[in-house]
Amino acid sequence: MEGWQRAFVLHSRPYSETSLLLDLFSENEGRVRVIAKGARSKRSRLKGTLQPFTPLLARWSGKGEMKTLHTAEAMTLALPLSGRYLYCGLYVNELLSRVLGQEIPFDELFFDYLYCLQGLASATGTPEPVLRRFELAVLGHLGYGVDFLHCAGSGEPVTETMTYSYREEKGFIASLVLNQRSFTGRQLMALSDREFPDSDTLKAAKRFTRMALKPYLGGKPLKSQELFRQFTLPAGPATPSQE
């Protein structure tokens, strides 16, 4: 199976009358853009295979930014995402498409992505803990290192009841000022552990990842947000971090 890679489709769009232009997230090469020639034709054996959330074995080649897909096989059925979990999956795909450069290996992030999809597929309650863990993983793999457990000003360990203010590119500094950049030591400990036992720590994690991801996403809105806003739930949808 030399030359084959495990991959997922992040995004696809028509390319010419019979082909598809795909953004793949692959285990060994990161995000790769490929042309799937003839994939839209009725006789194509790829028809129905190149879908989001389907684990693939794929092979492509080419020297430019746009590769040519030779073949792809579904390793298993698509991970079953529906309702709000489907919209969260679309958000995760769009997030990766926006923040990852082309052909930069992120082999560990590939498995974080797989675990995220599996978490969404098996979730029965709020998907937010799964999303927050994945967003924190993305930030870590992008090189966005932040120490949640020590005060950036003094180097002292954070304490549960103290309040800290988030400073970009610096970290958290002890502060008596309370605003959107304020976090308690307890909330920072939860962020460090990536465990959110209650609504307080979940809301804090959402605030942090929203702020930390903003420089990578820029001012352009996420399309998955717009789709999510059109999807209403009786209990109120759990929103992706960027909403």
Side-chain angles (χ1 to χ4, degrees), residues 164-204:
Y164 300 85
S165 180
Y166 173 61
R167 307 281 180 85
E168 290 182 6
E169 300 182 358
K170 290 184 179 180
F172 296 89
I173 305 219
S175 173
L176 296 177
V177 177
L178 298 178
N179 54 33
Q180 280 297 103
R181 291 180 172 267
S182 300
F183 298 83
T184 65
R186 179 175 178 272
Q187 292 167 344
L188 296 184
M189 292 174 186
L191 279 163
S192 178
D193 293 337
R194 297 185 186 179
E195 292 295 335
F196 314 107
D198 50 40
S199 62
D200 175 68
T201 51
L202 263 180
K203 289 177 181 178

Side-chain angles (χ1 to χ4, degrees), residues 7-8 51-57 73-79 114:
F8 284 89
Q51 301 295 325
F53 318 125
T54 300
L56 301 173
L57 273 177
E73 299 176 359
M75 297 174 62
T76 65
L77 295 176
L79 289 157
L114 175 59

Side-chain angles (χ1 to χ4, degrees), residues 103-242:
E103 298 179 57
I104 301 174
F106 285 100
D107 52 339
E108 292 183 8
L109 181 57
F110 181 84
F111 288 99
D112 286 322
Y113 172 74
L114 175 59
Y115 299 146
C116 177
L117 294 186
Q118 290 173 334
L120 292 174
S122 61
T124 56
T126 175
E128 295 217 10
V130 176
L131 293 177
R132 301 296 86 82
R133 291 186 193 107
F134 182 70
E135 289 164 344
L136 289 167
V138 169
L139 287 165
H141 291 299
L142 290 174
Y144 191 94
V146 66
D147 187 349
F148 295 108
L149 298 180
H150 295 86
C151 175
S154 65
E156 293 291 322
V158 302
T159 58
E160 284 196 9
T161 55
M162 181 61 116
T163 301
Y164 300 85
S165 180
Y166 173 61
R167 307 281 180 85
E168 290 182 6
E169 300 182 358
K170 290 184 179 180
F172 296 89
I173 305 219
S175 173
L176 296 177
V177 177
L178 298 178
N179 54 33
Q180 280 297 103
R181 291 180 172 267
S182 300
F183 298 83
T184 65
R186 179 175 178 272
Q187 292 167 344
L188 296 184
M189 292 174 186
L191 279 163
S192 178
D193 293 337
R194 297 185 186 179
E195 292 295 335
F196 314 107
D198 50 40
S199 62
D200 175 68
T201 51
L202 263 180
K203 289 177 181 178
K206 183 174 181 176
R207 274 196 296 121
F208 172 75
T209 55
R210 179 191 291 131
M211 288 187 289
L213 285 168
K214 188 174 181 179
Y216 296 97
L217 293 168
K220 186 179 178 182
L222 292 166
K223 292 181 180 178
S224 53
Q225 284 184 356
E226 299 303 319
L227 291 173
F228 203 91
R229 290 190 183 103
Q230 297 171 25
F231 180 73
T232 58
L233 290 170
T239 57
S241 171
Q242 302 310 304

Side-chain angles (χ1 to χ4, degrees), residues 34-65:
V34 303
I35 299 174
K37 295 182 178 179
R40 298 175 63 206
S41 65
K42 293 181 180 180
R43 296 182 180 180
S44 173
R45 60 186 183 82
L46 292 175
K47 196 173 183 68
T49 300
L50 302 174
Q51 301 295 325
F53 318 125
T54 300
L56 301 173
L57 273 177
R59 187 164 55 87
W60 58 85
S61 66
K63 296 182 179 180
E65 290 186 0

